[in-house]
Amino acid sequence: MNSSLATREQALSSGIDPFWAPMAMVLTQDFALKSYFRERVVLGADRLPVDGPVLLAPTHRARWDALMLPMAAGRRVTGRDCRFMVTGTEMVGLQGWFLHRLGCFAVDQGRPSMTTLRYAIDLLSAGEQLVVFPEGRINRTDEPIRLQQGLARLSQLATRQGVPVQVVPVGLAYSEARPRPCGRAAVCFGESLTTETSGREATRIFNQLLTERMQSAEQAARAAVGRPLISP
């Protein structure tokens, strides 16, 4: 770990705990997911980069998303952890205590601090796998995907600093809008894209392409759980 990454990790009290992280992996992947869902499907695994800086850009349909992603793209699959950028409200209390030790860190989506942004870029520069929910909230309806600007800006900032980030669109789906016991769950990885330039028009084009690929990935995931997504 480089010195700047270690310094910012300490400042944000965020890092992979050598005790809690492996235990959480066993509890969530071997017990929680297997006991709650009768089937867990992973589609497009060959599109998931196994090295280099990666930004996973998933749809956000349930709190189970945070367990499904490490199952499909985490340490057992790629050899590296999923480092989540989450809202500040998720990093408080007992939940926040655990999330800190699993390498998650908070971001103010309206006004992200430079410490947070630099830490995210340090992680990407170190070849880590970062997860950002570009919708910014859980959406259980079938309304069109609407992205916030944060992920595109982070990708552009990393690119300007010489970090060639691959952005992977991800679709998550469940057999019910609110997942129930013995239901089905699916993750689909779409074709990755990169950010070449910055600017308002470049951001608009990037978000449009990312939205289309997230939508396609979610359609595939919804079909896999028997709940097809009907396009408007």
Side-chain angles (χ1 to χ4, degrees):
M1 182 185 298
N2 62 51
S3 59
S4 61
L5 176 56
T7 300
R8 292 189 183 108
E9 197 165 77
Q10 184 175 12
L12 292 168
S13 300
S14 179
I16 300 294
D17 187 284
F19 174 76
W20 288 109
M23 179 176 288
M25 181 171 63
V26 171
L27 291 175
T28 58
Q29 296 180 30
D30 295 339
F31 292 97
L33 287 172
K34 287 184 178 180
S35 62
Y36 198 85
F37 297 105
R38 73 174 188 270
E39 185 179 12
R40 299 157 307 285
V41 179
V42 179
L43 306 170
D46 57 317
R47 301 190 186 108
L48 182 64
V50 296
D51 53 31
V54 173
L55 262 173
L56 296 181
T59 57
H60 203 3
R61 301 297 170 255
R63 291 197 178 275
W64 286 100
D65 297 347
L67 304 188
M68 288 291 294
L69 286 165
M71 181 274 295
R75 189 180 299 187
R76 290 177 173 176
V77 178
T78 63
R80 51 185 173 177
D81 295 291
C82 291
R83 306 296 297 270
F84 286 81
M85 292 180 73
V86 300
T87 60
T89 56
E90 295 178 274
M91 297 295 284
V92 297
L94 182 61
Q95 173 178 285
W97 187 88
F98 277 107
L99 291 179
H100 274 300
R101 283 152 183 79
L102 298 179
C104 303
F105 59 103
V107 60
D108 182 334
Q109 296 182 27
R111 300 182 63 183
S113 70
M114 286 308 299
T115 299
T116 300
L117 290 175
R118 286 170 179 161
Y119 178 52
I121 292 173
D122 284 343
L123 287 171
L124 292 170
S125 181
E128 295 281 358
Q129 183 171 246
L130 195 58
V131 182
V132 180
F133 291 103
E135 293 174 282
R137 64 182 179 88
I138 293 176
N139 175 19
R140 293 189 175 91
T141 71
D142 289 344
E143 65 185 38
I145 293 173
R146 292 183 176 86
L147 306 186
Q148 297 189 5
Q149 302 300 313
L151 185 143
R153 290 172 179 167
L154 174 60
S155 177
Q156 290 170 346
L157 183 58
T159 299
R160 288 200 300 271
Q161 296 193 17
V163 182
V165 180
Q166 296 185 76
V167 180
V168 180
V170 186
L172 288 121
Y174 304 90
S175 48
E176 296 85 19
R178 292 182 179 274
R180 298 175 183 174
C182 297
R184 304 168 70 191
V187 180
C188 178
F189 297 102
E191 183 182 351
S192 64
L193 58 156
T194 58
T195 305
E196 300 295 339
T197 58
S198 60
R200 185 171 299 177
E201 181 63 12
T203 300
R204 186 192 67 79
I205 294 172
F206 174 86
N207 277 337
Q208 180 179 348
L209 183 57
L210 178 58
T211 298
E212 292 171 357
R213 294 189 184 182
M214 288 173 64
Q215 187 83 19
S216 295
E218 184 169 28
Q219 286 177 330
R222 286 279 292 263
V225 298
R227 185 172 158 244
L229 180 63
I230 307 301
S231 299

